Amino acid sequence: MAHPKNGLSYSDAGVDIDAGNRLVDLIKPMVRATARPGADAEIGGFGGLFDLKAAGFKDPVLVAATDGVGTKVKIAIETGLHAGIGIDLVAMSVNDLVVQGAEPLFFLDYFACGKLDPEATAAIVAGVAEGCRESGCALIGGETAEMPGLYKDGDYDLAGFAVGAAERGTLLPRPDIAAGDAVIGLASSGVHSNGFSLVRKIVERTGLGFDAQAPFAPVMTLGGALLTPTKLYVKSCLRAIRETGAVKGLAHITGGGFTDNIPRVLPKTLGVRIDLTQVPVLPVFKWLAAEGGVAELELLRTFNCGIGMIAVVKPDAVAQVIAVLKESGESAVHLGEVIEAKDDERVVYDGHLNLVQ
């Protein structure tokens, strides 16, 4: 067979199959560590398997969620700090599953880049595996796509896909949410993974580099502080649901903040009244508000402001639910109550956020 003169290879086009194979070898132990009943968490096949019966479900309803981490990846790329971004990826999907009362079962990730760096990518997958372990779900597969010409060298994006299950009849929100029910807030770990286009705009305005000392966290760099991973609420919320029987609904505070996310779990005739003086505003949000001149209502619709998850509970069970959450490592506060909605106002605010630095 004649060989073409100056023949090109896939590597010449910018795709390194050997680098992809090296990545698989690097991440196999990480993936294997996420094994759980129902999945052995081995990768390399064409599809991942999960056995619902082995996981202990009798009459399950499957719940699926997908998300990314938005422009937070730009900060990870610019700083070279990739370890936490995988936790963010898992959290954004599994926190959405637990909101519906579902136990996360398995996770798949999609990673796309311009040129594959096996070590840097392995650091990201290590974060994915850590997030899966902390959430009790198996990492059963994924895809790595090297796409020169679409992404610049060094750039990447990632997406996550999670599937969970709940026994039929136990899904949230419950149909008995009513005026007078209590609203509890669970503290966030930071900005989480929403609002980073505004965060980056504010940082640009300040003139600070991501390697500068963080004004709101002096022992950290600005980039490192902003990359604090999204909090995983799965185990604490599942425990509160199962042990108290008093949790009627949960709302993951992502893009849209309190204003847009809380109404998603309420009947259309109901809203909530939130006491903003009870919100534990984190220093990062005080700094963003001051440096960006961001109005309070804009903060509440863009960021979590210090509360990453909302629970709607029976009014006589507030102390019990908060106690269980605190035993699970959460910081939880009573923020308000469910009210009748008037004139389409679904979220009513009392007082003001404490934005004093």
Side-chain angles (χ1 to χ4, degrees):
M1 179 178 178
H3 294 283
K5 187 177 181 180
N6 299 323
L8 292 173
S9 68
Y10 209 5
S11 180
D12 292 327
V15 179
D16 189 341
I17 294 175
D18 291 333
N21 291 335
R22 171 165 169 71
L23 173 63
V24 171
D25 290 338
L26 288 172
I27 66 176
K28 274 186 176 181
M30 308 172 193
V31 173
R32 197 172 293 122
T34 70
R36 55 151 292 159
D40 59 12
E42 288 289 340
I43 58 172
F46 287 95
L49 305 177
F50 193 93
D51 185 342
L52 284 166
K53 187 174 181 180
F57 287 91
K58 297 178 176 61
D59 186 18
V61 176
L62 293 179
V63 183
T66 182
D67 210 338
V69 297
T71 59
K72 190 173 185 176
V73 297
K74 288 288 290 181
I75 299 178
I77 291 167
E78 290 184 32
T79 61
L81 301 173
H82 305 291
I85 210 78
I87 298 176
D88 286 304
L89 185 67
V90 175
M92 293 306 291
S93 285
V94 297
N95 285 344
D96 281 354
L97 293 185
V98 77
V99 158
Q100 297 191 253
E103 173 187 340
L105 302 177
F106 60 87
F107 189 86
L108 301 99
D109 66 318
Y110 173 81
F111 177 88
C113 63
K115 183 173 178 59
L116 185 62
D117 179 336
E119 282 70 27
T121 307
I124 296 170
V125 177
V128 173
E130 181 180 346
C132 286
R133 287 195 304 271
E134 290 185 25
S135 304
C137 64
L139 178 57
I140 66 170
E143 172 68 9
T144 301
E146 194 173 19
M147 296 189 284
L150 187 59
Y151 293 90
K152 293 185 295 184
D153 285 0
D155 280 354
Y156 66 83
D157 196 10
L158 62 170
F161 312 87
V163 173
E167 294 292 357
R168 195 176 305 276
T170 67
L171 289 170
L172 298 181
R174 283 170 28 180
D176 61 340
I177 294 177
D181 284 340
V183 176
I184 293 173
L186 284 65
S188 67
S189 57
V191 185
H192 286 184
S193 297
N194 297 100
F196 272 88
S197 293
L198 178 55
V199 169
R200 289 167 47 247
K201 191 73 173 177
I202 292 170
V203 171
E204 181 182 351
R205 176 184 283 191
T206 68
L208 292 172
F210 289 119
D211 58 349
Q213 185 181 65
F216 53 88
V219 299
M220 302 181 72
T221 64
L222 179 57
L226 292 172
L227 287 170
T228 300
T230 304
K231 191 166 180 56
L232 292 152
Y233 296 101
V234 171
K235 290 186 176 179
S236 59
C237 285
L238 285 177
R239 182 179 171 188
I241 292 167
R242 292 166 178 171
E243 291 189 11
T244 71
V247 178
K248 295 185 176 185
L250 294 167
H252 185 197
I253 306 304
T254 55
F258 290 177
T259 307
D260 291 347
N261 284 294
I262 299 176
R264 295 169 66 182
V265 301
L266 301 174
K268 291 184 178 180
T269 58
L270 298 178
V272 293
R273 182 178 295 278
I274 301 294
D275 181 357
L276 294 180
T277 66
Q278 297 302 306
V279 175
V281 182
L282 295 174
V284 61
F285 297 113
K286 297 179 180 183
W287 181 77
L288 289 169
E291 294 296 334
V294 185
E296 184 177 63
L297 289 177
E298 185 69 15
L299 283 173
L300 289 164
R301 200 180 182 192
T302 306
F303 300 118
N304 66 64
C305 295
I307 295 292
M309 182 72 75
I310 290 286
V312 178
V313 307
K314 294 178 181 178
D316 60 353
V318 172
Q320 180 190 14
V321 173
I322 288 180
V324 171
L325 290 170
K326 287 185 175 180
E327 286 175 8
S328 301
E330 301 292 351
S331 176
V333 293
H334 186 182
L335 290 179
E337 65 176 349
V338 176
I339 60 173
E340 299 287 347
K342 295 182 180 179
D343 301 323
D344 295 326
E345 289 187 5
R346 307 291 303 283
V347 180
V348 177
Y349 298 114
D350 287 337
H352 295 281
L353 296 171
N354 176 11
L355 297 175
V356 178
Q357 298 188 75

Coordinates of all heavy atoms in Angstrom, one line a residue, residues 249-282:
G249 N -40.7 21.3 51.7 CA -40.1 21.7 50.4 C -38.7 22.3 50.6 O -38.3 22.7 51.7
L250 N -37.9 22.2 49.6 CA -36.5 22.8 49.6 C -36.3 23.6 48.3 O -36.9 23.3 47.2 CB -35.5 21.6 49.6 CG -35.4 20.8 50.9 CD1 -34.6 19.5 50.6 CD2 -34.9 21.6 52.0
A251 N -35.6 24.6 48.4 CA -35.2 25.5 47.2 C -33.7 25.7 47.2 O -33.2 26.3 48.2 CB -36.0 26.8 47.3
H252 N -33.1 25.3 46.1 CA -31.6 25.5 46.0 C -31.5 27.0 45.5 O -32.0 27.3 44.4 CB -31.1 24.5 44.9 CG -29.6 24.6 44.7 ND1 -29.0 24.0 43.6 CD2 -28.6 25.1 45.5 CE1 -27.7 24.2 43.7 NE2 -27.5 24.8 44.8
I253 N -30.7 27.8 46.2 CA -30.6 29.2 45.8 C -29.4 29.4 44.8 O -28.3 29.5 45.2 CB -30.4 30.1 47.1 CG1 -31.5 29.8 48.1 CG2 -30.4 31.6 46.7 CD1 -32.9 30.1 47.5
T254 N -29.8 29.4 43.6 CA -28.8 29.5 42.5 C -29.1 30.8 41.7 O -29.5 31.8 42.4 CB -28.9 28.3 41.5 OG1 -30.3 28.2 41.1 CG2 -28.5 27.0 42.3
G255 N -28.9 30.9 40.4 CA -29.2 32.1 39.7 C -30.7 32.5 39.9 O -31.6 31.7 39.7
G256 N -30.9 33.8 40.2 CA -32.2 34.2 40.5 C -32.4 34.5 42.0 O -33.3 35.1 42.4
G257 N -31.4 34.0 42.8 CA -31.4 34.2 44.2 C -32.7 33.8 44.9 O -33.4 32.9 44.5
F258 N -33.0 34.5 46.0 CA -34.2 34.2 46.8 C -35.5 34.5 45.9 O -36.4 33.8 45.9 CB -34.3 35.1 48.0 CG -33.4 34.8 49.1 CD1 -33.4 35.6 50.3 CD2 -32.5 33.7 49.1 CE1 -32.5 35.4 51.3 CE2 -31.6 33.5 50.1 CZ -31.6 34.3 51.2
T259 N -35.4 35.6 45.2 CA -36.5 36.2 44.5 C -37.1 35.2 43.5 O -38.4 35.1 43.4 CB -36.1 37.5 43.8 OG1 -35.5 38.4 44.7 CG2 -37.3 38.2 43.2
D260 N -36.3 34.5 42.7 CA -36.8 33.7 41.7 C -36.9 32.2 42.1 O -37.6 31.4 41.5 CB -36.0 33.8 40.4 CG -36.1 35.2 39.7 OD1 -37.1 35.9 40.1 OD2 -35.3 35.5 38.9
N261 N -36.0 31.8 43.0 CA -36.0 30.3 43.3 C -37.0 29.8 44.4 O -37.5 28.7 44.2 CB -34.5 30.0 43.8 CG -33.6 29.9 42.6 OD1 -33.7 29.0 41.8 ND2 -32.6 30.8 42.6
I262 N -37.3 30.6 45.4 CA -38.2 30.2 46.4 C -39.6 29.9 45.8 O -40.2 28.9 46.1 CB -38.2 31.1 47.6 CG1 -36.8 31.2 48.3 CG2 -39.3 30.7 48.6 CD1 -36.8 32.2 49.4
P263 N -40.1 30.8 45.0 CA -41.5 30.5 44.5 C -41.6 29.2 43.6 O -42.7 28.7 43.5 CB -41.7 31.8 43.6 CG -40.9 32.8 44.2 CD -39.6 32.1 44.6
R264 N -40.5 28.7 43.2 CA -40.5 27.5 42.3 C -41.0 26.3 43.1 O -41.5 25.3 42.5 CB -39.1 27.2 41.8 CG -38.6 28.2 40.8 CD -37.1 28.0 40.5 NE -36.9 26.8 39.7 CZ -35.7 26.4 39.4 NH1 -34.6 27.1 39.7 NH2 -35.5 25.3 38.7
V265 N -41.0 26.3 44.4 CA -41.4 25.2 45.2 C -42.7 25.4 46.0 O -43.2 24.6 46.8 CB -40.3 24.7 46.2 CG1 -39.1 24.4 45.5 CG2 -40.1 25.8 47.3
L266 N -43.4 26.6 45.7 CA -44.6 27.0 46.4 C -45.8 26.9 45.4 O -45.7 27.1 44.2 CB -44.5 28.4 46.9 CG -43.4 28.7 47.9 CD1 -43.4 30.2 48.2 CD2 -43.5 27.9 49.2
P267 N -47.0 26.6 46.0 CA -48.2 26.7 45.2 C -48.3 28.2 44.7 O -47.8 29.1 45.4 CB -49.3 26.4 46.2 CG -48.6 25.5 47.2 CD -47.2 26.0 47.3
K268 N -49.0 28.4 43.6 CA -49.0 29.7 43.0 C -49.7 30.7 43.8 O -49.5 32.0 43.7 CB -49.7 29.6 41.6 CG -48.8 28.9 40.6 CD -49.5 29.0 39.2 CE -48.6 28.2 38.2 NZ -49.2 28.2 36.8
T269 N -50.5 30.3 44.8 CA -51.3 31.2 45.6 C -50.5 31.7 46.9 O -50.9 32.5 47.6 CB -52.6 30.6 46.1 OG1 -52.3 29.4 46.8 CG2 -53.5 30.3 44.9
L270 N -49.3 31.1 47.0 CA -48.5 31.4 48.2 C -47.2 32.0 47.9 O -46.6 31.9 46.8 CB -48.2 30.1 49.0 CG -49.4 29.3 49.5 CD1 -49.0 28.0 50.2 CD2 -50.2 30.1 50.5
G271 N -46.6 32.7 48.9 CA -45.3 33.4 48.8 C -44.6 33.2 50.2 O -45.1 32.4 51.0
V272 N -43.5 33.9 50.3 CA -42.8 33.9 51.6 C -42.5 35.3 52.1 O -42.3 36.2 51.3 CB -41.5 33.1 51.5 CG1 -41.8 31.6 51.3 CG2 -40.6 33.6 50.5
R273 N -42.4 35.5 53.4 CA -41.9 36.7 54.0 C -40.6 36.4 54.6 O -40.5 35.5 55.4 CB -42.9 37.2 55.0 CG -42.4 38.6 55.6 CD -43.5 39.1 56.7 NE -44.7 39.4 56.0 CZ -45.0 40.5 55.4 NH1 -44.0 41.5 55.3 NH2 -46.2 40.7 54.8
I274 N -39.5 37.1 54.2 CA -38.1 36.8 54.6 C -37.6 38.0 55.4 O -37.7 39.2 55.0 CB -37.2 36.6 53.4 CG1 -37.7 35.4 52.6 CG2 -35.8 36.4 53.9 CD1 -37.6 34.1 53.3
D275 N -37.1 37.7 56.6 CA -36.5 38.8 57.4 C -35.0 38.9 57.1 O -34.2 38.0 57.5 CB -36.6 38.4 58.9 CG -36.1 39.4 59.9 OD1 -35.5 40.4 59.4 OD2 -36.2 39.2 61.1
L276 N -34.7 39.9 56.3 CA -33.3 40.0 55.8 C -32.3 40.2 56.9 O -31.1 40.0 56.7 CB -33.2 41.1 54.8 CG -34.0 40.9 53.5 CD1 -33.8 42.1 52.6 CD2 -33.5 39.7 52.8
T277 N -32.7 40.7 58.1 CA -31.8 40.9 59.2 C -31.2 39.6 59.7 O -30.2 39.6 60.4 CB -32.4 41.7 60.3 OG1 -33.5 40.9 60.9 CG2 -33.0 43.0 59.8
Q278 N -31.9 38.5 59.4 CA -31.5 37.2 59.9 C -30.5 36.5 58.9 O -30.0 35.4 59.2 CB -32.7 36.3 60.1 CG -33.6 36.8 61.2 CD -32.9 37.0 62.5 OE1 -32.3 36.0 63.0 NE2 -32.9 38.2 63.1
V279 N -30.3 37.1 57.7 CA -29.5 36.4 56.7 C -28.0 36.6 57.1 O -27.6 37.8 57.3 CB -29.7 37.1 55.3 CG1 -28.7 36.5 54.3 CG2 -31.1 36.8 54.8
P280 N -27.2 35.6 57.2 CA -25.8 35.7 57.6 C -25.0 36.1 56.4 O -24.3 35.2 55.8 CB -25.5 34.3 58.1 CG -26.4 33.4 57.4 CD -27.6 34.1 57.1
V281 N -25.0 37.3 56.1 CA -24.3 37.8 54.8 C -22.8 37.6 55.0 O -22.1 38.1 55.9 CB -24.6 39.3 54.6 CG1 -23.9 39.8 53.3 CG2 -26.1 39.6 54.5
L282 N -22.2 36.8 54.0 CA -20.8 36.6 54.1 C -20.0 37.8 53.6 O -20.5 38.6 52.8 CB -20.5 35.4 53.1 CG -21.1 34.0 53.5 CD1 -20.8 33.0 52.4 CD2 -20.6 33.5 54.8

